[in-house]
Amino acid sequence: MLRRLFLAILLLPSLSPALEVRISDTLTPAQALQQVREARKAGDASPATIFFPEGTTELLTPLTLEATDSNITFTGTHSTLIGGPKVTGWEKHTGEIVKADVSKLLPKGFLPKQLLCDGERQILARYPNFDAKNPLYGSWAFVAPFPPAGAPEGHLWKRTLFVKPEDVRQWAHPEDVELDIFAQYGWWNFLEPVASLDPATRLLTLKKDCSYDLHPHNRYHFQNALEELDAPGEWFYDKHRGVLYFWPDVARNSNFASQDDRNRNFDLRDIRLPLTEAFFKIEGAKHITIRGLTLTGTHGSAIVFERAEDCLVEKCVITKVGAFHGSGVGVSDGKNVRVSQCDISFTGSNGVSLSGGDRKTLTGPGHAVEDCHIHHMGVFNKNACGVAMYGVDNAVRHCHIHDGPRMGVQMSGNNLYVEYNHLHHLCLETQDGGAIYTGGRDWISSRGSKWRYNLIHDVIGCGQEAGGLKHPWFTFGLYPDDNSGGIDIIGNIVFRVAHTPIHMHNSRDCIVENNIFALGGKFQFDLHGWTKEQRFYTSHMDTMIKGYESVAGQLAWASMRGMDLHPEDAIRDDGTMMSGNSFQRNILFSDTPGVKYGDIRHATAKWNTIDHNLAWNGGHPVVTGVNKVGPDKPGAPLLTETFDTTEPGKTPKGWGFNHRPNKDVQLVVADGALRADCALGTDPGNPKTVFHGPDIPIKPGAAYRMRLRIRSTEPAAKLSLAFASFKNGEGYWQAGSTSITATSEWTEFEATGRMLRENEAAWKPWMKHFWLRIDCHEPKGQIFIDTVRLTECEPLDEWTSWQAEGWDTHSLIADPKFVDWKHDDFRLQADSPAFKLGFEAIPVEKIGIRK
């Protein structure tokens, strides 16, 4: 027996000690990696560890790891990798500005986009100057408005804009200047090269088209011109001469004790130009671990994984990396790459990007970002997010993500998971975004995905208008956008959001249950659907069909919720498209009188369920915006108009245009009726004919019914009717909209609505009058209006009106009894009435980074 045991021990494979290589002054990172490769060639397959030394290691060329380089750990103690060479040889230029010849430091043709001084990014010379006291919303120029006649004939919306007289600049090399602009709607910024700026006409021309139109009032700044280097902390690289210019900010960099000290010892300062493409590029390797390192100063992403498997980035600090397209960590294809317990901040673009997987088979890589602190991302690229996920089976869990220009998590694909994260102070510089966002124009996104147990708050938003920047502004907490479908949205707490805690934009087949949606600026939730006539439907249909048919019949999709409906059959019998959503057992909470409970457009209770919820507005009436009106009140109509007393060819008193597409469009009396020309103008933001009726004094809280007869010269003319109020320089308000279709036959239509009460959030003191607004959605033809009659009606309670539409028939209005919502504690007390509706306690203690 002992002999057999002895022989078995002899036959065991020999256990080699792990291979360790230490980088030093005499051994570079590339040489250390080469030693491991040589050991592998010699037959040593043991795990290898490469140690970086304490202090800073300059790494200007990526360590590229291929399949044969697997099973390596990179680590160190108090070890920092920096991706830019140190700049020396400084000399005085003029005033406070110094300069250095860096032509030999930079690769041929490389244009640096960052400068680090003592580890801090400096400011590329710009106009207007950066405002450190108001870094997000100060120091912008704004595109000049057009003259009253509108845009010039043949205006190139994507290529040209007009600057204001005070913003005209002159540069020796305008072709080197860049325009950083939040184009069109201000969704995000674009960095575009300038061709010229004519000081006489103030016309700015770009070298190429911007992706979006350049609108009046868009905010922008110019950058990358020596003439704009006029403030401490700014720098500029002259590519024609290879010279770097810099005005050091003594106040921000305490090492510059005095002018004499700077002149004597400037070469001793740590001033660097980030140029390395990445520190690590893992291409097909397996079992690579990067642990405990500080990574800073790259031109591209700090770490890039491509087709890698079973890799880990753990306990690293990744900061101030990446230019416009550089992220902290980028992962594509492969499988099981994890980013764990890292602190990632001040990235040029995304914090982390994950992608990969096969959508037909729904097999995915299983990449994950877990227990990470990701913040202040999107320094240059304002479309950046904390984590971007694309493909199948990727996850963001237990992360703390905050202070970003746009989304916290942005995703597209299937079976993607966003769970137990704390997300806040997002969409700080853009509008129409969300803390968690997805789109679904291809019909199949983001089915199978789950957004569960996330704590989300302070989603701000920033809009740009004639009066300057507006914040907080139009943005959301959870945002399933553009026909996205099949998402489980469970157990989230979303509060203090500029517009709405959850905005469902034609999302389909979603389960939205057991969430707390609170303190929305406009609503606590909304469902905004599409119709067959809307451009979203018509422009996306080909994409939807292609997406659906790419997976239809695939075995993996057989059990996917809602996939039994072909997009060609998406329009339901009531003319709506939004369907299959279950919105139940949620708490909807506000403490501001007049802020609405919910908002529903082009969605019906026949195809969507909203029920068993708990609503509360601090004891104030629950406002829904559904204002069903009762019978007319006794008395004479407030307005009667037959147009018989107006001279033909004249505009009746009180009637006029809200928007006139061109000077040929008329609003005049003809054939005993009011005639309006339908047309579409060239302004993409406001192209159609819009006109209004006479001013009617507002009686706060009163309900009204407008009846009018309409016919069209076209067989079917799409119109909308609404009560609205406006005061120039103060604002605009509208009481909802009624969509109608006019034909060649006279038909009576009706629009109803209620005026705001003085205690409602949207009410403003300037609201003294309202009028009927009529929008013509047709590109041609004429409409005729006759026999207009306005009466005051009996208003109905809004909650009763809401329930009459089929919503919330079993829901409750009651105080949810939060522990301390004023201090952001949305846990429920034991006797909360929400539990009677089936609400389950949300595990708040599990949300966020695990210790």
Side-chain angles (χ1 to χ4, degrees):
M1 180 70 178
L2 288 174
R3 182 172 178 273
R4 287 198 300 272
L5 181 60
F6 178 73
L7 288 173
I9 292 173
L10 288 177
L11 292 173
L12 284 174
S14 60
L15 299 177
S16 305
L19 176 63
E20 295 185 356
V21 181
R22 296 183 180 274
I23 297 167
S24 66
D25 292 340
T26 59
L27 187 70
T28 67
Q31 291 169 337
L33 178 58
Q34 186 58 33
Q35 282 193 11
V36 174
R37 288 170 171 167
E38 290 173 356
R40 295 285 165 79
K41 289 180 181 179
D44 185 351
S46 61
T49 301
I50 295 178
F51 292 90
F52 284 87
E54 185 173 344
T56 299
T57 299
E58 191 177 279
L59 184 57
L60 305 182
T61 303
L63 293 177
T64 301
L65 308 175
E66 300 176 349
T68 54
D69 297 316
S70 298
N71 210 8
I72 303 176
T73 295
F74 295 88
T75 189
T77 302
H78 305 299
S79 304
T80 297
L81 277 61
I82 193 162
K86 186 175 180 180
V87 180
T88 59
W90 293 97
E91 60 185 57
K92 184 178 178 62
H93 175 59
T94 182
E96 300 293 317
I97 300 172
V98 293
K99 63 182 179 180
D101 187 335
V102 295
S103 57
K104 295 181 180 179
L105 282 181
L106 304 179
K108 185 177 181 180
F110 179 82
L111 295 177
K113 296 298 182 180
Q114 305 168 81
L115 180 73
L116 297 180
C117 179
D118 294 332
E120 297 295 326
R121 277 199 188 99
Q122 305 302 294
I123 303 161
L124 182 58
R126 56 172 282 176
Y127 171 85
N129 287 336
F130 176 76
D131 184 356
K133 294 181 179 179
N134 189 11
L136 299 182
Y137 310 124
S139 301
W140 292 100
F142 295 85
V143 176
F146 295 122
E153 187 73 25
H155 181 72
L156 302 176
W157 286 89
K158 289 181 168 60
R159 183 69 67 96
T160 60
L161 59 85
F162 291 93
V163 303
K164 296 179 179 180
E166 63 269 27
D167 297 322
V168 173
R169 316 298 294 171
Q170 290 187 327
W171 309 293
H173 293 283
E175 71 280 3
D176 295 341
V177 177
E178 296 171 332
L179 177 75
D180 191 342
I181 185 168
F182 285 77
Q184 199 153 334
Y185 307 114
W187 287 335
W188 55 78
N189 66 323
F190 296 86
L191 200 60
E192 301 291 351
V194 169
S196 64
L197 173 55
D198 187 328
T201 63
R202 298 184 282 110
L203 180 68
L204 176 81
T205 303
L206 300 178
K207 290 182 181 178
K208 59 183 182 65
D209 283 355
C210 183
S211 297
Y212 287 161
D213 290 346
L214 309 170
H215 282 188
H217 315 304
N218 285 159
R219 69 192 189 271
Y220 72 91
H221 70 256
F222 297 119
Q223 64 182 33
N224 201 47
L226 181 59
E227 291 85 352
E228 307 302 352
L229 206 170
D230 59 358
E234 290 190 341
W235 66 278
F236 169 72
Y237 170 67
D238 184 346
K239 69 178 183 179
H240 305 282
R241 300 174 56 233
V243 175
L244 175 67
Y245 298 86
F246 180 39
W247 182 338
D249 188 345
V250 177
R252 293 181 61 195
N253 300 281
S254 58
N255 288 335
F256 302 120
S258 68
Q259 175 72 35
D260 291 340
D261 174 67
R262 179 168 64 252
N263 290 340
R264 285 196 304 267
N265 302 306
F266 203 80
D267 284 350
L268 300 179
R269 307 308 170 201
D270 193 53
I271 302 173
R272 297 176 180 270
L273 286 168
L275 59 81
T276 188
E277 181 183 354
F279 290 120
F280 299 95
K281 296 183 68 175
I282 296 91
E283 300 176 346
K286 300 179 181 179
H287 302 290
I288 301 298
T289 297
I290 302 168
R291 178 183 291 118
L293 300 175
T294 295
L295 311 176
T296 188
T298 57
H299 181 73
S301 300
I303 304 172
V304 177
F305 293 92
E306 297 177 357
R307 307 178 310 282
E309 297 184 11
D310 301 312
C311 295
L312 174 66
V313 181
E314 184 180 53
K315 297 180 179 178
C316 289
V317 175
I318 303 173
T319 186
K320 302 177 186 70
V321 296
F324 196 87
H325 298 293
S327 301
V329 181
V331 183
S332 61
D333 300 321
K335 66 180 182 181
N336 192 31
V337 175
R338 290 191 302 125
V339 182
S340 177
Q341 302 177 71
C342 293
D343 190 302
I344 302 173
S345 65
F346 298 99
T347 52
S349 186
N350 298 325
V352 181
S353 300
L354 305 178
S355 66
D358 186 333
R359 298 185 75 180
K360 286 188 176 182
T361 61
L362 293 180
T363 54
H367 301 320
V369 182
E370 300 173 335
D371 299 292
C372 288
H373 185 196
I374 303 173
H375 56 104
H376 296 91
M377 52 282 183
V379 172
F380 302 116
N381 185 342
K382 303 308 178 180
N383 194 28
C385 55
V387 180
M389 291 196 296
Y390 304 95
V392 180
D393 187 28
N394 296 308
V396 184
R397 298 187 178 98
H398 293 284
C399 289
H400 184 193
I401 302 174
H402 63 93
D403 285 274
R406 197 148 175 79
M407 324 295 187
V409 178
Q410 183 167 358
M411 51 179 272
S412 180
N414 302 100
N415 296 349
L416 303 172
Y417 306 94
V418 187
E419 306 171 315
Y420 298 98
N421 301 287
H422 183 191
L423 305 101
H424 62 95
H425 289 91
L426 296 162
C427 297
L428 294 179
E429 301 177 66
T430 60
Q431 67 159 338
D432 195 12
I436 306 175
Y437 175 92
T438 188
R441 294 181 179 183
D442 61 0
W443 187 268
I444 59 176
S445 297
S446 286
R447 296 179 185 272
S449 299
K450 302 182 187 300
W451 299 352
R452 301 184 295 196
Y453 308 115
N454 299 285
L455 176 63
I456 298 169
H457 59 92
D458 296 289
V459 188
I460 308 299
C462 176
Q464 48 192 21
E465 291 188 331
L469 298 185
K470 308 290 185 179
H471 50 90
W473 199 243
F474 180 67
T475 198
F476 313 99
L478 302 174
Y479 195 170
D481 190 18
D482 272 358
N483 199 49
S484 54
I487 309 170
D488 291 353
I489 303 175
I490 310 292
N492 302 281
I493 302 174
V494 189
F495 64 97
R496 255 193 334 265
V497 177
H499 201 277
T500 314
I502 179 168
H503 174 52
M504 303 178 70
H505 185 203
N506 204 60
S507 48
R508 308 165 47 80
D509 308 311
C510 292
I511 294 176
V512 185
E513 297 182 357
N514 214 86
N515 302 279
I516 296 172
F517 299 128
L519 306 178
K522 298 294 184 181
F523 317 104
Q524 309 317 318
F525 75 96
D526 63 46
L527 279 69
H528 291 179
W530 298 349
T531 65
K532 191 173 183 179
E533 290 76 24
Q534 286 180 314
R535 61 182 177 86
F536 298 110
Y537 174 83
T538 56
S539 62
H540 296 341
M541 179 51 70
D542 289 345
T543 302
M544 289 188 284
I545 292 174
K546 184 178 179 180
Y548 176 84
E549 294 182 349
S550 70
V551 299
Q554 295 290 327
L555 181 63
W557 285 78
S559 60
M560 187 70 81
R561 186 168 66 238
M563 284 296 291
D564 56 342
L565 183 70
H566 195 287
E568 290 180 337
D569 302 319
I571 301 298
R572 299 298 191 174
D573 57 1
D574 56 10
T576 64
M577 181 177 178
M578 194 173 188
S579 65
N581 297 298
S582 173
F583 191 97
Q584 301 193 74
R585 291 180 292 281
N586 302 289
I587 298 174
L588 296 310
F589 174 83
S590 176
D591 74 326
T592 304
V595 169
K596 290 183 180 178
Y597 168 76
D599 186 55
I600 296 178
R601 305 175 192 176
H602 304 303
T604 65
K606 180 176 182 179
W607 296 104
N608 302 274
T609 300
I610 300 177
D611 207 357
H612 301 97
N613 300 300
L614 191 148
W616 186 245
N617 194 12
H620 305 289
V622 175
V623 178
T624 64
V626 178
N627 291 292
K628 290 185 175 297
V629 301
D632 290 354
K633 286 188 173 184
L638 301 177
L639 172 69
T640 301
E641 183 75 78
T642 61
F643 306 106
D644 294 335
T645 60
T646 302
E647 182 182 347
K650 301 293 185 180
T651 302
K653 182 179 180 180
W655 292 82
F657 286 106
N658 295 77
H659 180 257
R660 190 180 186 186
N662 61 65
K663 59 182 177 60
D664 296 324
V665 170
Q666 292 185 321
L667 181 68
V668 297
V669 168
D671 300 326
L674 179 64
R675 185 190 72 200
D677 298 323
C678 298
L680 296 179
T682 58
D683 183 350
N686 195 9
K688 61 193 175 185
T689 298
V690 183
F691 62 97
H692 63 82
D695 284 351
I696 307 296
I698 286 180
K699 179 180 177 181
Y704 299 95
R705 174 180 285 110
M706 180 76 79
R707 298 183 180 92
L708 65 169
R709 297 171 67 236
I710 305 177
R711 74 174 180 87
S712 170
T713 58
E714 302 300 307
K718 301 296 180 183
L719 310 173
S720 59
L721 313 176
F723 294 138
S725 183
F726 170 78
K727 185 175 181 181
N728 191 28
E730 296 289 347
Y732 174 84
W733 171 83
Q734 183 174 305
S737 179
T738 301
S739 298
I740 64 172
T741 302
T743 67
S744 57
E745 300 294 328
W746 283 105
T747 306
E748 183 172 85
F749 294 96
E750 179 179 294
T752 61
R754 179 182 64 80
M755 298 299 108
L756 292 170
R757 303 182 185 93
E758 292 181 348
N759 66 348
E760 294 186 62
W763 182 85
K764 296 292 185 284
W766 57 263
M767 293 179 177
K768 304 298 184 183
H769 298 85
F770 76 97
W771 25 260
L772 175 68
R773 168 178 168 146
I774 302 176
D775 289 54
C776 306
H777 301 289
E778 300 300 322
K780 63 178 182 177
Q782 297 171 324
I783 63 167
F784 293 82
I785 296 175
D786 198 5
T787 318
V788 179
R789 187 169 74 257
L790 177 71
T791 55
E792 186 177 349
C793 311
E794 296 288 347
L796 296 182
D797 172 76
E798 291 194 20
W799 184 255
T800 302
S801 298
W802 177 266
Q803 290 182 314
E805 293 285 323
W807 310 117
D808 282 305
T809 56
H810 301 93
S811 297
L812 297 178
I813 297 177
D815 185 347
K817 295 188 176 182
F818 296 122
V819 170
D820 188 2
W821 69 267
K822 291 185 178 179
H823 292 91
D824 299 349
D825 189 342
F826 285 87
R827 292 175 299 164
L828 296 176
Q829 299 177 32
D831 60 343
S832 170
F835 294 127
K836 297 179 181 179
L837 293 169
F839 192 91
E840 298 180 1
I842 296 173
V844 178
E845 70 282 356
K846 296 182 180 180
I847 296 174
I849 296 174
R850 294 169 287 194
K851 303 299 182 182

